[in-house]
Structure formats: structure tokens, C-alpha cells
């Protein structure tokens, strides 16, 4: 997808809000490729496109779709894409341990209270039969997951630890997140750690019940992040700052769509229309049904949460080598944007 806008539009948009000298540069727009997974938490990228925020910064942004953030690691490391958006996984940390200098530069998705988009589900027939009555009954269940060393594994582990169980006390089977709904329906799994819209669909279909949400298990869990390649961060730092300004403006617009744990805020209709065009979820009904992910409107990363997950991945033997988060997380681009945009005011 190429984000096209005429120079006149970009200059007019800049003149209306941006004090940055970059906005008044009449040179051709700078080409940038950003990786995304077509998920609802990629909303800021799609919003920055449709609202003209990238164009206002003089950027010509191409979105390249990937199956997961893990698949973005090699192109980011090689400088083939400038930015990426996805989970801070064990795969990312292994790349860093090998010397690939990818930077975590901003918040992408989290679970503030009321916005737990990752949910622990149990089959409804297990509840009705009495197989599941309380959390300790999760022991021995087969859980649908999506991959080892990703954020929902840390969520499940934390829940199990809270009731005196170990991660090995359940059986996990990896499959694409959209397949969780069918797996619960056909009873090939007992439970799942699923990401919206899967939980909303499984509950609506009468196949599962929600037993806990990520915002209850790990409040403000840093689920996904914005990544920069080393070349983009160091050699094209001006463009990287422009991208960040547009990104944070889009995050704030997204926050305007949130209300009472749903997409019911003033901007909801516009955000839903943008997501319907850009992601596989087309139904407005589903968007109104799901619990949307939270996003820090000031873009700052919860480094303590990243460290918590990293410790679990390391404990599982999934991270090979030493990783210092201080070398991975670079908040300078967010802080530079906040100096110009100011702190968020709802």
C-alpha cells in the first residue's frame, strides 16, 4: 500500500499544525517502508495514512504485511524496512543477542485496566459439566497458543503461577490466532490464550467463556512495540523523528475512539472505518463487540513489563545469549516528539 498525497496537501497540512522545519521542506517525500501484521493494534499506522499525518511530515510510507513481528527481524536487521510493529518476542531478543541492532522505540499495544484484549478462555462445555469450576482446574488442560516466547505466554504463565501451577502443568499447542475459535468449537483444545477478536467470537458463538483478561493478570502489560532499524534510527534520524510525530498523533486519535472498554468514543466510527479497510476484520458489529487494545497516548514504553517477559522467555530457554534492555529500548524519538506535541490531554 502506497500512501500518496500531493505536495500541496502536505504543505497545507503542515502549515496548520507543525512547527518543524521538516514540514516546510519542498523536497520530494521520503520513502519509508513499515512492517505490520494487519492487526487492529496496527491502527496508528493506518490512521497516520488516512488522516494525512505521514504526508504532513513529508513522508511517503509503504506498509508491508508480515505474518508476525518475528518475520520482520531479518528485514529490519538488513535495513530492508525502516520500521516494524509487533510483539517484543524471544525471537527479537535473540536477534539483538546476535548483534542485530534493532531498536524498540515506542509503545504499540498494552493492557491498561478495562482494555485486556488478550483473554484466557475455557470451553463452555467444561464449565457446564463441572470440569472447570475455578482457576486451579486449568491444570492438565490443552491450551491453544500462537507461538512460544510471545506476550500471551507470559500472561498465561503469570496466571498459572498465581494459583500455584507451573507453565508445564498445562499442555500448549501453537496455531494461528484466528484458528483458536475453531479449535474451541471442535473441542480439539480445552482452553486458549487468545487475542481479540477471537475471544469475542468464541463467546458470542457459545463455545467458550472468559475466565481472566490480560488487564487483570498483568495490568499495563507491554504487548507490542514499534521498532526501528539501526540504519533508520542512526542514519536517517530526521525522518525517524518525523515518523514518530505522525505515529503519536495517530495513537492519540485512536485513543479518542476508546470509551468504557469498547470502541465507543467520539472517533470510533472513523477508526472502525479505517481498520475495516486495512485489516481482515470487516464487520462493524465485531469491532463494537471486541475489547480493544490499549495504547499509551504519549508513546512511552513500559520497560519494566518488557523485562518481566524477557525473564520468562529466558527461564524457558528461548533466549540464547545476554540481552540488556537499556541497549534495546531507545526512548529518544518519543521524547523528541513529546517536546513538540506536548503531553496528551484527553
Amino acid at each position: 500500500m502506497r500512501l500518496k498525497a500531493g505536495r500541496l496537501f502536505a504543505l497545507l497540512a503542515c502549515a496548520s499544525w507543525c512547527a518543524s522545519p521538516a514540514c516546510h521542506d519542498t523536497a520530494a517525500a521520503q520513502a519509508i517502508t513499515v512492517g505490520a501484521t494487519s492487526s487492529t493494534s496496527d491502527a496508528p499506522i493506518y490512521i497516520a495514512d488516512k488522516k494525512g499525518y505521514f504526508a504532513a511530515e513529508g513522508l511517503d510510507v509503504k506498509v508491508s504485511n508480515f505474518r508476525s513481528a518475528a518475520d520482520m527481524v531479518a528485514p529490519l536487521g538488513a535495513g530492508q524496512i525502516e520500521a516494524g510493529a509487533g510483539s517484543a518476542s524471544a525471537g527479537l531478543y535473540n536477534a539483538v543477542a546476535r548483534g542485530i541492532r534493532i531498536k524498540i522505540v515506542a509503545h504499540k499495544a498494552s493492557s491498561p485496566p478495562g482494555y485486556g484484549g488478550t483473554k484466557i478462555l475455557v470451553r463452555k462445555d467444561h464449565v457446564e459439566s463441572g470440569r472447570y469450576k475455578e482457576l486451579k482446574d486449568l491444570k492438565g488442560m490443552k491450551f491453544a497458543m500462537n507461538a512460544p516466547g510471545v506476550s500471551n505466554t507470559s500472561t498465561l504463565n503469570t496466571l498459572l503461577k498465581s494459583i500455584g501451577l507451573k507453565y508445564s502443568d498445562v499442555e500448549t499447542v501453537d496455531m494461528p490466532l484466528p484458528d483458536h475459535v475453531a479449535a474451541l468449537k471442535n473441542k480439539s483444545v480445552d482452553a486458549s490464550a487468545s487475542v481479540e477478536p477471537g475471544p469475542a467470537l468464541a463467546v458470542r458463538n457459545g463455545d467458550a467463556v472468559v475466565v481472566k483478561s490480560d488487564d487483570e493478570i498483568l495490568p499495563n502489560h507491554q504487548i507490542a512495540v514499534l521498532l526501528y532499524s539501526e540504519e533508520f534510527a542512526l542514519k536517517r534520524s530526521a525522518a525517524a523523528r518525523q515518523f514518530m510525530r505522525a505515529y503519536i498523533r495517530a495513537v492519540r486519535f485512536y485513543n479518542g475512539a476508546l470509551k468504557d472498554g469498547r470502541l465507543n468514543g467520539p472517533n470510533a466510527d472513523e477508526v472502525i472505518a479505517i481498520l475495516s479497510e486495512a485489516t481482515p476484520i470487516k464487520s462493524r458489529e465485531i469491532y463494537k463487540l471486541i475489547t480493544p487494545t490499549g495504547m499509551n497516548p504519549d508513546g512511552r514504553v513500559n520497560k519494566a513489563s518488557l523485562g518481566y517477559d524477557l525473564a520468562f522467555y529466558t527461564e524457558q530457554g528461548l533466549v540464547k545469549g545476554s540481552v540488556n534492555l537499556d541497549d534495546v529500548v531507545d526512548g529518544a524519538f518519543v521524547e523528541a516528539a513529546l517536546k513538540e506535541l506536548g503531553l496528551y490531554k484527553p
Side-chain angles (χ1 to χ4, degrees), residues 231-284:
E231 182 174 336
F232 191 48
L234 297 182
K235 297 181 181 179
R236 300 182 61 191
S237 58
R241 288 192 295 271
Q242 290 166 257
F243 187 97
M244 187 62 72
R245 281 194 297 268
Y247 178 82
I248 290 180
R249 289 184 70 204
V251 169
R252 292 177 175 185
F253 189 85
Y254 170 85
N255 270 266
L258 304 182
K259 183 181 179 183
D260 301 329
R262 291 286 185 269
L263 285 169
N264 281 331
N267 298 343
D269 287 345
E270 193 169 356
V271 167
I272 289 171
I274 291 169
L275 287 172
S276 296
E277 182 178 340
T279 76
I281 305 171
K282 305 301 179 185
S283 168
R284 175 184 171 82

Side-chain angles (χ1 to χ4, degrees), residues 173-204:
V173 54
D174 294 328
M175 62 183 72
L177 286 167
D179 292 350
H180 288 199
V181 178
L184 290 162
K185 186 176 190 65
N186 64 30
K187 302 181 181 180
S188 61
V189 297
D190 302 298
S192 70
S194 302
V195 179
E196 294 283 23
L201 294 175
V203 171
R204 184 189 66 175

Side-chain angles (χ1 to χ4, degrees), residues 55-188:
E57 291 285 356
L59 304 177
D60 179 20
V61 176
K62 175 185 176 182
V63 178
S64 183
N65 289 317
F66 290 82
R67 184 178 54 184
S68 70
D71 293 336
M72 300 177 203
V73 169
L76 280 166
Q80 294 168 348
I81 63 175
E82 283 74 27
S87 174
S89 65
L92 170 65
Y93 294 127
N94 280 324
V96 170
R98 295 194 305 268
I100 299 175
R101 297 182 63 185
I102 299 169
K103 295 293 185 181
I104 294 173
V105 293
H107 181 286
K108 178 175 179 268
S110 63
S111 58
Y115 292 91
T118 299
K119 299 184 188 296
I120 306 299
L121 304 175
V122 171
R123 276 179 17 210
K124 190 174 182 180
D125 65 301
H126 283 329
V127 176
E128 292 171 340
S129 70
R131 165 65 179 88
Y132 177 87
K133 295 178 182 177
E134 54 185 321
L135 289 171
K136 69 179 181 63
D137 296 329
L138 295 175
K139 185 173 183 177
M141 286 192 174
K142 180 185 287 189
F143 267 80
M145 307 297 289
N146 59 310
V150 293
S151 63
N152 63 342
T153 66
S154 182
T155 299
L156 177 58
N157 179 62
T158 302
L159 177 61
L160 294 172
K161 283 176 64 177
S162 75
I163 54 175
L165 298 178
K166 301 186 294 294
Y167 198 73
S168 58
D169 284 327
V170 300
E171 178 186 354
T172 60
V173 54
D174 294 328
M175 62 183 72
L177 286 167
D179 292 350
H180 288 199
V181 178
L184 290 162
K185 186 176 190 65
N186 64 30
K187 302 181 181 180
S188 61

